[in-house]
Amino acid sequence: MAACGGADEAAEPVATTEVEMAKSYRFEPKAISVDAGATVTWTNDDNFTHTVQVDGQEDHKVERGDQVSIAFDTPGTYHYVCTLHSNDMDGEVIVR
Ligand SMILES: [Cu+2]
């Protein structure tokens, strides 16, 4: 069943632990689902420095070509942003 919505529609979460910071200014996929205890890795494939800041946690700077990994031990929905481009870049990790 296709969801209909505006440009900012919430995507169906993808079951993966890999998120790409894709060109330009995007987290891809934007919403993911993982099992509790999983470690999620963000890889910066964009031409700009980005960050990953999960709500209420420290900010992680990710240079071009770099990665950051964050473990998610507790089930819940975790929203995160790139604090340098918070209007364009945000995403969600759903921990089951
Ligand atoms: Cu950014």
Side-chain angles (χ1 to χ4, degrees):
M1 197 169 68
C4 63
D8 225 5
E9 74 194 74
E12 192 70 13
V14 178
T16 181
T17 56
E18 304 286 330
V19 179
E20 188 182 339
M21 292 149 145
K23 297 181 180 69
S24 298
Y25 305 105
R26 291 187 301 115
F27 289 116
E28 182 61 45
K30 188 177 166 80
I32 64 169
S33 65
V34 302
D35 293 328
T39 297
V40 177
T41 300
W42 284 262
T43 302
N44 187 349
D45 291 325
D46 203 356
N47 295 323
F48 310 96
T49 298
H50 296 299
T51 79
V52 176
Q53 184 183 35
V54 180
D55 277 349
Q57 300 182 22
E58 68 171 308
D59 198 8
H60 301 271
K61 193 180 205 181
V62 187
E63 309 281 353
R64 293 165 54 183
D66 228 346
Q67 293 186 324
V68 65
S69 295
I70 300 173
F72 291 86
D73 293 327
T74 309
T77 298
Y78 297 83
H79 179 253
Y80 66 88
V81 298
C82 165
T83 56
L84 301 175
H85 315 106
S86 56
N87 287 339
D88 298 313
M89 297 181 66
D90 71 328
E92 214 163 64
V93 179
I94 295 157
V95 182
R96 302 186 195 277

